[in-house]
Every structure is written in C-alpha cells, then in structure tokens.
Amino acid sequence: MLYTVVKPNSYQDSINLMLLTNRINALDGVVQSQIMMGTDANKDIYEAAGLLTPEAQAAAPSDMVIVVDAADASVVDVVLDEVKAFLDDLSVKKQTAGAVCEASSWEEAVALLPDANMALFSIPGEYAAPELERALDMGLHVFSFTDNVPLEDEARLKRKAREKGLLLMGPDCGTGIVSSIPVAFTNVVSPGNIGIVGASGTGIQEVTCIIDRLGGGCVHAIGTGGRDLSEDVGAITVKDAIVGLEHHDPTDVILVISKPPAPEVRDEVVDLLQKVSKPVVAIFLGEKPEAHQGKVHLAHTLEEAARMAVDLARGEAVKKNYCLPLDFSCDEPLAEDKTVVGLYSGGTLAAEAGMMISEALDLGGLIKKEGFILQHDGYDVIDLGDDIYTQGKPHPMIDPEVRIRMMREYAAKPTTGVILLDCVLGYGCHPDMASALAPVIVECREKAVAEGRDLHFVATVVGTQGDPQDYDRSVRILKEAGAVVEGSNAMAVRAALELKGVRYEEADREAAPYEVKDASPLPEPSAQIMELLTTKPRVINVGVESFNESIRAFGGASVQFNWRPLAGGDKRMIHLLSELAKRDGLDAMNQKVIERFRDSQPFLVDVVLAKSVIPEINGKVLLHAGPPIKFEDMTSPMQGSCIGAALFEGWADSEEDALALLASGEVAFMPCHHVHAVGPMGGITSANMPVLVVENKADGTVAYCTMNEGIGKVLRFGAYSQEVVDRLRWMRDVLGPVLSAALRKKEGGVNLNVLVAKAITMGDEFHQRNIAATLCLFKEVAPLISALDWDEGEKQGVLQFLADTDQFFLNVMMAMGKSIVDYARKVEEGCVVTTMTRNGRDFGIRVSGLGDEWFCAPVNTPKGLYFTGFTAEDGNPDIGDSAITETVGVGAMAMIAAPGVTRFVGAGGFEDALAVSDEMERICVTHNPNWTIPTWDFKGACLGIDIRKVVATGITLLINTGIAHKRAGIGQVGAGTVRAPLGCFEKALEAYCAKLGIE
C-alpha cells in the first residue's frame, strides 16, 4: 500500500533527497520509496515508478513529498523518524563545519560577499535560466554544474555573457579549476602552467589527473559544457576562454577538450587557435586525426592530449606517437564469443572507450541511445550518468547502486568476457568508491569461476595523490579485488582489447600546413575575464553546499546561497518576476513610497461622531472591515455586528427586526477603507458611533477608527446583547465627548510616532499587546481629563475605562496606520503593499502602483490558543481591518518586540518570535528607523512589504489576531496568528506586470 507524507514549503537539495531515498529503501518493511520535491518533472518520475498518489500529485514544487510502499502503516513512522534523523544530521554537520556564511537571497549573498565574481549553480535545470541570467545581470561569471537548461536559453545567455564581458561556464559543467582552485566535482591537481578549456566534465578530470601524475600542473580548467561547440551556441565560451588564456601570463600551454563538435564551429575554433602565440593542443572526441593542423597539435585520446600538453609545458617537442607500451599482457585471449562491456560513471570516458573499441573491432561507430554509447552484438558501453539513469537517483559518481546492479547483470551473462570500469575520485564524489566496487568484483569473479567462465574486470582510477579518497589506496583496493588497473582510460581500454587478442596502436602523426581563414586579429579579452583569471575566485555557491569545501580548502572565498525555487516553482510567477528584475527604476519607485511611510507624522487630534467626518455614512449605511462584501455573504460574527449596529442606531427594536432590515437591501454596506476608516474585527461602523481622528501632519491626511470596547461580549466580535448596545451608547454619550474635550486641550494632539517609539521598547507589538502604549496614552490624556470642567462621575468613568482597557491603543494604532498608508498611497508607483484586510471570506490587499484596486483570495482561519470551553472547531475565519498594523510594520511583523505575547498567540518562545520577525524581514524593503526594537539589536521595525518578495519567497504575511466564535452573539473565544493567502499577492503581481506591459 502507498503512504504519502507531504511537508509543505520544505525545500531540500535533490542530491540529499536521493541519498535519503536510498537509506529509506534499505529499511525493513519498505518495498520501495521515493522522496523528492513536488515538481512536475518529479511527478513524472513518481508516476513511472508507480508511486504517484493523489497527495503527491497535488503537492507544490516547494513541498517535500515522501511516498512509501509498505504493507504496514507503522513503517511510515519509522520512515519519518529516519527522514528527521537524516535532515538533522545534515544540520549538525553544517553547524560543526565551522563558520559558514549563508544567505537565503541574492541580496543577502552579495552583502556577505560584496566582491563576489562568480556564481556556482547546482540547482534543478527547470528553474535555472532565470537564475543564471540574474547572476549575469549582477556582473558575475557563471559556473553552471546545473544541466537540462534548454539549448535556446544556453545560446541566449552565453551571448548575453559575452556582451557583458563575462564567462558562462556550462550548463552541465561538471568540473573546473579557476586560479588553481578546484570547483564542483573536481580533483586536487597541482598548480602549473597549463590552461585548459574543456567542453566536458570527466574529460577535464581525466586529463588534469594524468597531467598531475606526470609531474605537470594546471592553473585553469575552464569548463564550457558539452554543447558549447554546437551550431546553436557557436563556441562562445570556448573562444572567450581561449582569448583570456592567451593574455594570461602564467599560462604557457593551452589545451582544448571538446565533445563531438559541429564541423563549422570546430573549424572556427581551430582557426582561432592558429592565431594564439602559445603552444596549443586540441582533442575533438570522436575524431581520429591523421595529422596536426598548423600549430594546433591534435590528440586522439585524452591521455595523449595530457602527455602532449606536459611535453609542451616543459619546453619539449611533441612526439610523433604517445601510444606507450602497456605493463599488462595477455597470454591466452578470450574466446571469440566473449565481449567487452563498459559501465562508466563518466560520459566522456564512456565515449572515449566506445570510440576506441569501435575503431579496433570495426563496430560501426558510436550511438547515443538510452544511455548506450556503443551497442553492437554484446559490445555495450554505457554512460550511467545519462539522464535515463539519474532521474530521481544520485549520479553514479556519488552512489554506486545502479552500477553495482548492472555489474552483476552483465557478469552473469555467459558472453561477457571483460567489464570496463572507471573509478572517479575527488571532491563531490563517493567517499570510497573503490571499496564499494571491490566486493562486487570479487563476488562476480568467484561466481564466474564457479561456473567455469573467464571474466575479467579492467579499471582506471581518475584521481590524484591529493584527492580525499587517496589515489594509491583506491588503485590497491581494486587490484586486490582482482581487477586490472591501468593509469588512464585509454590504457584500460587497450588492456581490455588485449584480453580479446587485439593490439590497439596509433599511427605516427606529423604536422600539416594550415591556412588561416579569418585574417582578423585575435580579440582582446574583457577586463572581467582577466580579473577572474588573475585572482582567486570569490564564489556565491547556489545549491549543493558541499561544493564550498574545495573552494575554501584551497584559498578561495565562498558564501552559501540556500536557494529555493522562486515562487515555489510556479513557472508563470517565475517568468513575471524575472521580467520585473530586468526593469530599471522599480526599487526607486518603491523608495518613494517608503519615504512616505517613514516620514509620516500621525497625531491623535480628536474623537467625533462618524457622521460628522464621513459624509458617506449618513442614512442607513454601515461600514465593514475588509474588501467589499454583501450582507448575505458575511460570516455570522460580522452579521451579528450589523445587528448590534442596527439596534444601537435605533433602526430596529429587536434582533428579528434588525435581521429582516439588513436582509431587505435597505441598508447599504461599504468597506471602511473606502472612506479613510478602519474597523476592528467585524469593522462595523455606523453614523452615531464615535471615531478616533488621526491626522498625518505630513500633508493633512486624516483617518478614522472606532474606539476599543474592551474585552468579553463586544460588538466587534459579533455580540449584540443589551449590554453591548448600552456600552456603545455610553461610548457615544460620555467616552467620546470627554476624550474629544481632553484632546482639544492638547495643542496639535498626541504625537503617536513618539508614543509608539516608547511603547515598542516596553514590549508592545501593537496588535495583540498594547498595554504599554495604552498606559503611555493614558499618561498623556489623564491630566487633561482631570482638568476638564465636566461631571466628576463621568470623568471618573472614562479614566477607569481607559485604565481597565489594555487594548485601547489598538484602535488608535489602526487609525494611525490608516493615516500612514493613505498618505503613502498617493504615490501611485512601485509594488509596496499599502493595505491588508479581511472580511471573513476574502483577504484583500492594495498595492501602491495599482491604486484602489483590490486583490483578493480566500481568507484563512487563525491558529492559536482558545479560552476555556472553546476549541478550534469554534473559530471563525479571519476578519477585520486590524492587519493595517502589519501593513505598517508592527503586529506580527514586530513579534520580536513582544516576546511576552508570543506564547499566547501560538508562536512559542523568544526564539520563535525572533524567527518570525527575521522571516518577515525577508519580504520587506527596509526598516523603520522611527521604531527601533531593543530585542532585535535595535533594528527598526520592518517597513514596506514588497509583493515581488512575497511571491518570490513564498513567505506569506503572519498576522496577530483575535479569534471570534463562528456563531454571532458569543464574542471572542481566543487569540492567535493567521497567514495571509499567497493568491492575492500573485494576482497583484500579475496586474502590476500587466500595467508595465509584461505579458
């Protein structure tokens, strides 16, 4: 039976998940399993394996999907424990690795390594093109280990790199050396005077390792990817790298390695090499050169190319023939029906083996089909690194499972006489591949002997003395297992052919004259390329974290960018974000809006009846929280608030009459936000309710909010009993007038910026916790109230109410926030969120550059703590305009300011509060210097929610909120937090792009 567990928004690197899958598949009770991210490509793999469940199909690309085939559900618990242990172990290893610079965005990465000059990519190919382009636009050279990038994107991006004077190394660039620093899957090679330009991975590894073992050294190995010499790309990176090495003084010899090239492009490269002043060696795999071309020394095998380069680097002449005698000899060749099989982890080595075997035995040449390089009457050479074998599984250089299985399969065939293997060492590879393969070699040979068959294993070890796996030890282990081990892949193939009684030989090669076709001078390299070639690389490592090891170990600098797919992998959103990233001036537009937020001067100046300042409310009109909604679509608590307002206004004498009136269509409804007002929870505001008046003295913008009723059964939570109505009338007749009279005695009103700046240092975040701000306000108004010529009983009642109502300042903060955003909204530019609100059905936002338009998505239900007697089953979907606090950077955005409230709203302790504010920081433009937070190292509160960052990161706004009972009349039943839905931000992003003409 299939069991599925989806871990939302839990991105892990694909290599780690492949290794984890192998570990899970070894558990007792697991028939098979697969752990991958929920991308479309991975779902195809699940389906092919018979593991695609409805839950897996519904997963997002940023979700980690665990599918287990097991007979017993209890196995799933064991699996989940193992998953947790594996991921925890990764975390521990990260922590014990020493001080590691890590970033979660490009901006953070650049801030950590401001002089970075290269980005190293190892991310899924389906997301790569926009990220590669982003790096180029930031002025970074690109090393793309990432493959599966569309050819048209590779060609376009390489043209862009050339225009910017940069190198794009790859895609599918498995290995490289930059200024003697090993990069990606690479070996520890001695520094030297040979510079390599290689359109391959293991080809570069084979050549550089042979150079090292011959006593030579390499200063650069510029990987270009296997398609650079295709007709579509035109050898852009190869040519630019050659020109750079020509002008690089420490490079004395240039060696070019290419997979089979387009003929015209190959000729262009040879023509360019003729103009180089330095000695040149080139190998175009698949070609069998009969002579050198002009000054370009052409090699047939990788070993030959390495030996030529070493001779030239020592100032010696190139020899006519490099086919040196083998130490190995065979007295009794295998029978005619016995074949040679190659099981390679390196594609270039497989191609070389297939080429040599086909040439020696006249087998008709190479093919490229389902991983096969050669397939002719049992003579099979297979590239186990081909996509057909690595989809959903680690590369065979990392995990030997697939190769071991095929070793056993081929060893069991009576026709198999020789099995050729490569054992690749170096950074990024299996920690001890020789020890993993040796027991299987012993097992297969013993079984063949028992069956009376001849079976030989011939291996080559690609590595150096400096590699972590120890070259000499690896060779010894394979020999002790009974394998013939040769010093190069070419020699191993020759040994295999010797076992067949075939002596492989090379003809002597002389130089033939060459006439340069393009007489134009060699181009000049860009300053950026020369800077890359003359300094140690400073790398932003985007993807596999272990790639940092070799860079740092050999003196380079790197910062780890813990990359996740933009927009959770949504291709449409990725496209829009990538196009926006190309537009100049958006940050400057946002800055104009931010300046309005920051420069606002809100003052509490009065308390008046709503009808006196909001003309639209006269008559039977009710304001409500959130974006527009009809009465019949309101949730029960908001409808209850409407009933209470109708009773308060005297429009009805009973609940039944009020409900009939509200349902009749006689009462009009409009959002508070449409008339410069905000309202808590239900947000219901009627003509005769008193409202706080906040004036933003930056330009006179005014905003309004009803006053806080206290706790318990209150109108804002949908209660409408006589007690509620009586309190509202007292607030109208006493509280409002007394506060109005007191505030008018305060010249200019109460400076709310100052008050908030004080209270935020005292533990308020201004949504759930307002006690400090309320007390600061009380300190301002209490003397003024006491001095009023007013009924003493009424004054005492007002003072007592303020003293008892800890949350009184929340409504002041809401009006303050509204005055700030309405001032900022006058700058109709940029993509900063200027309103967030909810009506129990929809969560709505407005954006600076999109004016009054609402962008809505279904609202979520809060999670938190419930009062005694109530549970999550009682909670109403989120409701209210109070998210205006988060819009201006407080509330949950400033959770770290109020650690005392975090457990009440379900956020845990101090560390959780810090994590919340750190997370919210990632989706904001900057910080507000007016409101600094001591517990956050005096950073200012977050400022300016950027819809681009929300969509790109998938981080949705966290909002502190009260929880209303889902049935009207009961009131508040708890408090907690709620996440804004991502959908409204995505809709806003689409609309903003449409406004800019981005399709």
Side-chain angles (χ1 to χ4, degrees):
M1 184 172 179
L2 296 183
Y3 300 93
T4 305
V5 177
V6 177
K7 293 188 173 293
N9 202 27
S10 179
Y11 183 82
Q12 291 291 332
D13 174 75
S14 60
I15 292 177
N16 287 335
L17 293 184
M18 291 170 186
L19 295 173
L20 174 56
T21 296
N22 287 346
R23 183 181 293 192
I24 298 302
N25 284 336
L27 295 175
D28 291 339
V30 174
V31 179
Q32 64 173 331
S33 72
Q34 188 71 64
I35 305 176
M36 296 175 129
M37 302 307 297
T39 66
D40 290 340
N42 287 343
K43 288 172 185 175
D44 291 340
I45 296 171
Y46 277 114
E47 186 170 29
L51 296 173
L52 185 64
T53 63
E55 298 93 334
Q57 181 65 60
S62 57
D63 297 344
M64 183 169 68
V65 182
I66 304 166
V67 181
V68 180
D69 185 358
D72 188 345
S74 64
V75 173
V76 178
D77 294 331
V78 178
V79 168
L80 293 178
D81 288 343
E82 189 68 21
V83 169
K84 183 179 185 302
F86 181 89
L87 297 178
D88 286 349
D89 186 50
L90 288 179
S91 177
V92 169
K93 287 177 180 176
K94 182 188 297 186
Q95 292 172 7
T96 57
V100 177
C101 292
E102 293 190 350
S104 56
S105 69
W106 279 109
E107 292 78 10
E108 289 179 15
V110 171
L112 288 169
L113 194 62
D115 62 343
N117 64 351
M118 188 169 85
L120 167 56
F121 285 90
S122 52
I123 64 176
E126 60 188 308
Y127 305 120
E131 298 289 358
L132 299 179
E133 187 161 14
R134 176 85 179 269
L136 293 173
D137 287 338
M138 294 170 70
L140 299 173
H141 301 280
V142 168
F143 188 111
S144 179
F145 178 84
T146 294
D147 59 3
N148 293 317
V149 176
L151 182 58
E152 59 270 22
D153 282 330
E154 177 177 344
R156 177 180 63 83
L157 292 174
K158 285 189 170 178
R159 288 193 294 270
K160 183 169 194 170
R162 170 172 281 176
E163 291 168 3
K164 291 179 171 290
L166 301 168
L167 286 179
L168 199 171
M169 295 165 271
D172 197 15
C173 190
T175 186
I177 299 171
V178 180
S179 297
S180 300
I181 306 293
V183 181
F185 280 119
T186 189
N187 304 92
V188 179
V189 177
S190 300
N193 60 348
I194 299 172
I196 297 174
V197 182
S200 61
T202 48
I204 285 181
Q205 288 186 268
E206 170 82 341
V207 168
T208 55
C209 288
I210 294 173
I211 288 172
D212 180 270
R213 296 200 299 271
L214 290 172
C218 300
V219 62
H220 294 295
I222 308 299
T224 65
R227 301 183 302 197
D228 195 72
L229 272 77
S230 67
E231 188 174 350
D232 297 85
V233 181
I236 291 174
T237 304
V238 167
K239 292 175 182 177
D240 289 348
I242 289 170
V243 171
L245 292 177
E246 163 69 359
H247 288 80
H248 180 245
D249 290 341
T251 298
D252 293 329
V253 176
I254 297 175
L255 168 56
V256 175
I257 305 169
S258 171
K259 289 184 177 179
E264 317 83 53
V265 179
R266 179 250 188 226
D267 292 344
E268 290 175 11
V269 171
V270 171
D271 209 53
L272 180 71
L273 289 171
Q274 301 295 335
K275 304 174 190 178
V276 170
S277 64
K278 299 176 179 180
V280 174
V281 178
I283 175 171
F284 299 100
L285 285 164
E287 287 188 10
K288 190 170 186 179
E290 296 179 355
H292 304 301
Q293 287 188 274
K295 67 176 298 180
V296 179
H297 302 93
L298 295 175
H300 183 214
T301 67
L302 296 166
E303 177 196 354
E304 186 179 33
R307 291 183 178 277
M308 285 182 180
V310 170
D311 280 350
L312 290 169
R314 291 170 175 163
E316 300 173 6
V318 168
K319 299 177 179 65
K320 293 181 180 180
N321 198 311
Y322 284 90
C323 194
L324 304 180
L326 294 174
D327 292 333
F328 172 80
S329 61
C330 176
D331 297 329
E332 186 175 343
L334 292 166
E336 183 68 24
D337 65 336
K338 299 292 185 180
T339 63
V340 177
V341 172
L343 301 177
Y344 280 88
S345 63
T348 304
L349 301 181
E352 183 179 60
M355 172 192 74
M356 294 176 67
I357 293 169
S358 179
E359 288 174 354
L361 302 177
D362 193 21
L363 301 182
L366 302 185
I367 64 169
K368 183 83 172 159
K369 183 182 73 173
E370 296 179 344
F372 285 93
I373 299 295
L374 180 69
Q375 189 179 32
H376 187 96
D377 291 340
Y379 287 89
D380 295 346
V381 178
I382 303 174
D383 172 15
L384 294 171
D386 188 89
D387 289 349
I388 194 172
Y389 298 109
T390 59
Q391 279 194 340
K393 293 185 176 295
H395 195 280
M397 289 184 193
I398 301 172
D399 183 0
E401 179 195 7
V402 172
R403 178 151 58 172
I404 287 173
R405 175 171 54 79
M406 296 191 76
M407 286 167 66
R408 288 174 173 144
E409 288 177 6
Y410 273 100
K413 292 183 178 182
T415 57
T416 302
V418 184
I419 296 179
L420 272 166
L421 302 168
D422 60 344
C423 177
V424 182
L425 313 182
Y427 281 97
C429 296
H430 189 284
D432 191 2
M433 183 62 77
S435 292
L437 298 177
V440 187
I441 294 173
V442 171
E443 170 197 323
C444 292
R445 292 184 73 243
E446 289 178 348
K447 186 175 181 181
V449 169
E451 294 174 358
R453 294 186 292 113
D454 286 331
L455 177 64
H456 300 270
F457 284 85
V458 181
T460 180
V461 177
V462 180
T464 72
Q465 303 287 355
D467 284 334
Q469 298 88 344
D470 189 334
Y471 175 79
D472 288 340
R473 175 179 173 275
S474 297
V475 170
R476 184 174 66 253
I477 289 170
L478 293 174
K479 284 184 175 180
E480 289 173 353
V484 175
V485 182
E486 290 291 342
S488 73
N489 186 52
M491 296 177 81
V493 175
R494 288 169 57 200
L497 290 169
E498 287 277 345
L499 286 164
K500 282 289 298 175
V502 176
R503 178 66 51 85
Y504 188 93
E505 296 179 339
E506 294 274 5
D508 290 352
R509 206 169 302 137
E510 303 282 353
Y514 181 92
E515 184 178 343
V516 176
K517 301 175 181 62
D518 179 3
S520 61
L522 201 68
E524 290 290 320
S526 70
Q528 297 97 311
I529 289 177
M530 293 314 300
E531 195 273 342
L532 177 71
L533 297 179
T534 54
T535 63
K536 290 190 181 296
R538 304 171 301 280
V539 182
I540 296 176
N541 182 44
V542 190
V544 177
E545 189 167 2
S546 61
F547 282 171
N548 290 298
E549 294 176 13
S550 61
I551 296 168
R552 293 171 180 164
F554 289 87
S558 72
V559 59
Q560 175 63 24
F561 177 3
N562 292 325
W563 177 91
R564 293 187 177 202
L566 278 177
D570 185 311
K571 300 293 180 61
R572 175 168 171 75
M573 292 297 120
I574 291 172
H575 165 71
L576 295 177
L577 289 165
S578 300
E579 291 301 310
L580 279 176
K582 300 174 187 176
R583 297 296 180 101
D584 294 329
L586 296 189
D587 289 339
M589 293 179 189
N590 282 349
Q591 193 57 41
K592 291 181 184 178
V593 182
I594 293 302
E595 288 172 3
R596 289 280 179 116
F597 275 91
R598 189 188 59 223
D599 297 342
S600 288
Q601 301 172 42
F603 282 71
L604 177 61
V605 296
D606 208 346
V607 179
V608 299
L609 293 183
K611 64 185 180 183
S612 68
V613 288
I614 306 174
E616 295 89 344
I617 207 171
N618 284 292
K620 285 189 175 64
V621 179
L622 292 180
L623 304 182
H624 63 78
I629 190 171
K630 297 177 181 178
F631 178 76
E632 57 267 29
D633 296 326
M634 294 176 180
T635 59
S636 182
M638 186 180 279
Q639 289 185 339
S641 295
C642 293
I643 293 170
L647 295 172
F648 163 77
E649 290 289 343
W651 298 342
D653 296 325
S654 66
E655 174 187 343
E656 293 73 17
D657 290 345
L659 192 56
L661 172 70
L662 294 164
S664 70
E666 188 178 341
V667 177
F669 299 91
M670 69 172 63
C672 295
H673 273 288
H674 287 191
V675 291
H676 303 288
V678 281
M681 296 308 292
I684 301 305
T685 306
S686 62
N688 289 293
M689 290 181 185
V691 291
L692 299 156
V693 181
V694 173
E695 180 185 355
N696 188 335
K697 296 195 175 182
D699 78 336
T701 298
V702 179
Y704 315 104
C705 184
T706 54
M707 290 187 290
N708 193 281
E709 305 160 77
I711 59 174
K713 291 188 175 182
V714 289
L715 184 77
R716 66 181 185 273
F717 282 100
Y720 51 83
S721 65
Q722 190 61 45
E723 172 192 351
V724 172
V725 174
D726 288 345
R727 185 188 304 110
L728 289 173
R729 289 172 177 164
W730 175 80
M731 293 173 74
R732 177 194 63 194
D733 298 337
V734 177
L735 179 62
V738 169
L739 283 177
S740 175
L743 288 169
R744 289 179 183 182
K745 287 184 173 291
K746 178 78 171 176
E747 185 176 353
V750 177
N751 188 327
L752 297 178
N753 261 343
V754 172
L755 197 153
V756 168
K758 289 179 182 178
I760 205 168
T761 68
M762 299 165 69
D764 277 2
E765 43 72 62
F766 308 102
H767 199 158
Q768 276 298 344
R769 191 179 191 278
N770 286 276
I771 187 170
T774 298
L775 290 173
C776 288
L777 179 63
F778 186 82
K779 180 185 172 193
E780 292 280 345
V781 301
L784 300 174
I785 294 172
S786 296
L788 289 176
D789 183 13
W790 205 278
D791 180 85
E792 290 298 325
E794 290 187 348
K795 288 195 299 182
Q796 181 61 32
V798 169
L799 290 170
Q800 191 63 53
F801 180 82
L802 294 176
D804 292 342
T805 309
D806 292 350
Q807 283 287 74
F808 189 82
F809 191 80
L810 170 59
N811 299 50
V812 180
M813 185 73 231
M814 290 174 60
M816 176 185 179
K818 179 61 173 170
S819 76
I820 292 171
V821 300
D822 277 1
Y823 174 49
R825 290 179 65 240
K826 294 175 183 178
V827 178
E828 292 197 20
E829 298 180 23
C831 52
V832 173
V833 174
T834 55
T835 305
M836 294 193 297
T837 185
R838 51 267 205 256
N839 60 24
R841 183 188 68 175
D842 298 318
F843 189 106
I845 67 170
R846 284 170 162 176
V847 176
S848 56
L850 297 168
D852 292 340
E853 189 173 358
W854 287 105
F855 301 96
C856 299
V859 77
N860 295 317
T861 298
K863 297 178 181 179
L865 299 179
Y866 283 79
F867 302 155
T868 302
F870 299 102
T871 69
E873 290 296 315
D874 300 308
N876 192 70
D878 195 31
I879 192 169
D881 288 332
S882 57
I884 196 71
T885 58
E886 279 80 12
T887 308
V888 297
V890 291
M893 305 285 282
M895 189 81 84
I896 187 59
V901 79
T902 54
R903 300 191 74 179
F904 182 62
V905 297
F910 181 83
E911 291 299 323
D912 294 309
L914 176 60
V916 167
S917 291
D918 285 346
E919 183 185 40
M920 295 300 100
E921 180 184 34
R922 291 178 56 196
I923 55 177
C924 291
V925 176
T926 187
H927 292 268
N928 190 339
N930 298 320
W931 305 336
T932 59
I933 304 173
T935 48
W936 209 13
D937 199 21
F938 290 92
K939 283 196 288 191
C942 295
L943 182 56
I945 301 161
D946 187 336
I947 60 171
R948 295 175 300 176
K949 294 186 176 185
V950 174
V951 176
T953 62
I955 296 172
T956 50
L957 275 296
L958 189 72
I959 295 164
N960 287 345
T961 187
I963 305 174
H965 197 284
K966 62 185 178 183
R967 194 168 68 249
I970 296 177
Q972 184 177 6
V973 295
T977 59
V978 69
R979 288 278 181 177
L982 185 61
C984 49
F985 296 91
E986 291 176 333
K987 289 176 183 178
L989 186 77
E990 289 182 328
Y992 187 61
C993 287
K995 178 181 177 180
L996 298 181
I998 297 172
E999 296 183 2

